[in-house]
Amino acid sequence: MTEQTKTPFISFKFDVMTFIALCGAMYLAYTAHSANMENTAKLSSLLSKYEQTLDAAIAGDEATLKRYRNNIKKTLDSLSPKERELMLALLKVEREGKGG
């Protein structure tokens, strides 16, 4: 009789070219992620500066400031009591964050 060898359920074969390709793909993914994170930080900074400029422009013009406050009041009045409570809590936290 001949001996039968069992084939392993999971086989592992080390291929240098596959390993190099995998490392290359991981490096490219990491550099793309790093670039995206850097771009996101730049965009966030730009939006923050834009928001500050817009706030200053609104505060500097009485008619615009009055219209802005009226719009905020209308928005708050249209919310349910729970939504209004949440919105006012968020605004309070934001004010404390900017002040502290």
Side-chain angles (χ1 to χ4, degrees):
M1 285 208 232
T2 61
E3 269 185 49
Q4 291 183 336
T5 57
K6 291 185 178 180
T7 57
F9 184 69
I10 299 175
S11 66
F12 179 75
K13 180 181 173 186
F14 185 78
D15 185 5
V16 175
M17 290 306 291
T18 303
F19 179 73
I20 290 173
L22 179 63
C23 289
M26 288 173 43
Y27 174 75
L28 289 175
Y30 175 76
T31 55
H33 172 72
S34 296
N36 282 340
M37 292 304 290
E38 186 177 322
N39 287 339
T40 300
K42 287 178 183 178
L43 183 61
S44 179
S45 174
L46 182 65
L47 288 173
S48 179
K49 287 179 185 176
Y50 174 74
E51 182 181 79
Q52 291 171 356
T53 303
L54 185 61
D55 287 347
I58 289 172
D61 183 19
E62 283 299 319
T64 304
L65 181 59
K66 183 178 178 182
R67 191 169 49 245
Y68 176 76
R69 286 182 177 157
N70 286 338
N71 287 338
I72 293 292
K73 185 179 180 326
K74 286 178 189 176
T75 301
L76 286 174
D77 290 343
S78 71
L79 298 175
S80 72
K82 218 39 170 161
E83 291 171 328
R84 182 183 175 100
E85 180 182 331
L86 178 62
M87 181 63 72
L88 292 174
L90 287 172
L91 291 171
K92 181 181 178 185
V93 167
E94 184 179 346
R95 267 187 255 122
E96 288 173 356
K98 288 181 180 180

